Amino acid sequence: MTTGRGAGCRQHAAMRLLITPLLTLLLVCGAAQAQQTLAPGVTLLPGGYEAGHQPDGNSLLLKGEGGWLLIDSGRHQAHTAAALAAAGGDVRAVLNTHWHLDHLGGNAWLRSQRPGLQVWASPAVARALAPDGWLDRYRRQLVEAIPSAPAEQAAVMRVDLDLLNQADALRPDHEIKAASALTLLGRRLQVGVETAVSGGDLWVLDSASGTLAAGDLVTLPVPFFDTACPPAWREALARLSAQPFARLVPGHGPVLSHADFERWRTGFNALLDCADQGLHPAACAAVWRSHVEPWLDDAGGARVDGMLGYYFKTLLQAPPEHRERFCRRP
Ligand SMILES: [Zn+2]
């Protein structure tokens, strides 16, 4: 991941109070990147962070019969348009790994460009968009907050509000409820369903290329604990570890080999162990860093302590009754 540190990169603290999921990502920023061919018919469009914007997750394109399957559609139109262009304008199907708007939001624009587009996701997406689901509550918070927000923050919030006002276009056409073998556009996929980072996290292993799209089950510069259930996340990573993949595309960050992933996972487990032992967040951040150093660029590296400090306070070392609050989901 090539990211840049710029004067425009700063924390939108007021917005973080509004709603925690994803907004901590405003801590990091960098430029959008060019597509990468990972294998024949397998193209990565790296996510990015523009200064003063929220992020887009990584998007993966798999060439199938009669068109391309897009795994995660990004948030901003520029990202989604770049993904569509990388597919020669021929995206036929989308699979969203989870409900965060940096992986889901692009569905709306893509449907406007590609009538008949078919979308797959876990049932958690429709639940989150339903009245009083968490994305619907987020929408109402945005409606309330935008009129009194400073102009720059209001503009950022409006991006999400515009997406959430098109909830019907974000919802999947097909729900994947359990781990299964699935053939989409002629590509054989193994799909896993977890409840770790969100209320429903899909991971997708493309059999032909050995490419595993992990969504936000794997991220850099740190794991994003905003809506996470840490014990379930550990177990999900153990299942990923058992998969026969050659390369793993994380939700954010560079492509990892299987060996790289094992190193990342060892770091993840060490980070949770450190938190559970009640050690100081800075000490645990150092433990995490020691495992993931090879993949931390300047911008990401500079944010590890701040982001983990936030997650230690809000989740990992929160009062015991709060630590597993996201483990009890419908
Ligand atoms: Zn994400």
Side-chain angles (χ1 to χ4, degrees):
M1 180 165 71
T2 308
T3 55
R5 252 184 303 193
C9 305
R10 58 185 172 276
Q11 181 182 354
H12 293 236
M15 290 183 59
R16 210 166 77 178
L17 291 176
L18 177 69
I19 186 162
T20 56
L22 296 180
L23 294 180
T24 49
L25 301 180
L26 287 168
L27 292 162
V28 187
C29 63
Q33 295 168 70
Q35 68 191 68
Q36 300 165 21
T37 301
L38 303 182
V42 181
T43 301
L44 169 69
L45 188 76
Y49 301 84
E50 299 293 336
H53 289 68
Q54 292 213 62
D56 295 287
N58 287 332
S59 289
L60 184 69
L61 283 157
L62 301 174
K63 189 168 176 37
E65 290 164 4
W68 292 74
L69 167 67
L70 174 65
I71 300 176
D72 284 343
S73 57
R75 165 189 264 115
H76 298 100
Q77 190 177 316
H79 176 92
T80 312
L84 183 58
D90 200 10
V91 172
R92 287 286 165 96
V94 170
L95 187 151
N96 302 116
T97 56
H98 63 290
W99 63 25
H100 289 157
L101 289 176
D102 53 333
H103 303 259
L104 175 75
N107 290 12
W109 182 79
L110 213 47
R111 282 192 200 272
S112 75
Q113 303 299 302
R114 300 289 300 161
L117 184 85
Q118 296 294 298
V119 176
W120 276 260
S122 89
V125 171
R127 273 204 310 270
L129 289 166
D132 222 32
W134 89 265
L135 281 172
D136 183 57
R137 292 198 304 275
Y138 176 38
R139 184 187 59 76
R140 281 186 270 139
Q141 287 177 313
L142 291 171
V143 168
E144 242 172 69
I146 286 174
S148 57
E152 192 191 347
Q153 289 183 20
V156 172
M157 291 185 209
R158 255 184 231 108
V159 172
D160 283 3
L161 182 58
D162 285 349
L163 294 174
L164 292 168
N165 282 339
Q166 305 171 71
D168 284 346
L170 300 181
R171 255 181 225 110
D173 306 292
H174 311 277
E175 292 190 336
I176 300 174
K177 297 188 167 117
S180 49
L182 200 64
T183 301
L184 291 185
L185 305 181
R187 284 198 91 105
R188 285 195 302 118
L189 308 173
Q190 188 63 42
V191 181
V193 182
E194 310 290 349
T195 311
V197 184
S198 73
D201 309 294
L202 302 184
W203 52 259
V204 183
L205 173 62
D206 173 52
S207 304
S209 68
T211 305
L212 194 149
D216 279 2
L217 290 167
V218 180
T219 56
L220 285 158
V222 300
F224 301 147
F225 290 101
D226 301 85
T227 56
C229 171
W233 198 339
R234 266 190 213 256
E235 291 169 21
L237 293 173
R239 277 186 286 278
L240 282 190
S241 172
Q243 297 303 311
F245 64 87
R247 69 181 69 80
L248 181 147
V249 175
H252 302 265
V255 175
L256 303 177
S257 69
H258 208 135
D260 289 341
F261 166 72
E262 292 305 336
R263 180 171 174 160
W264 185 98
R265 185 165 82 98
T266 303
F268 179 93
N269 289 336
L271 178 64
L272 292 193
D273 291 343
C274 191
D276 289 348
Q277 287 159 21
L279 297 175
H280 193 278
C284 299
V287 169
W288 167 252
R289 249 175 222 290
S290 72
H291 289 88
V292 301
E293 203 71 64
W295 311 297
L296 291 179
D297 55 25
D298 290 350
R303 300 304 177 189
V304 166
D305 285 63
M307 292 180 82
L308 288 181
Y310 171 74
Y311 289 135
F312 269 60
K313 201 163 89 183
T314 56
L315 187 86
L316 297 176
Q317 289 184 343
E321 66 273 20
H322 289 301
R323 276 179 218 166
E324 297 193 0
R325 65 188 183 279
F326 295 114
C327 300
R328 303 179 288 272
R329 304 186 233 242

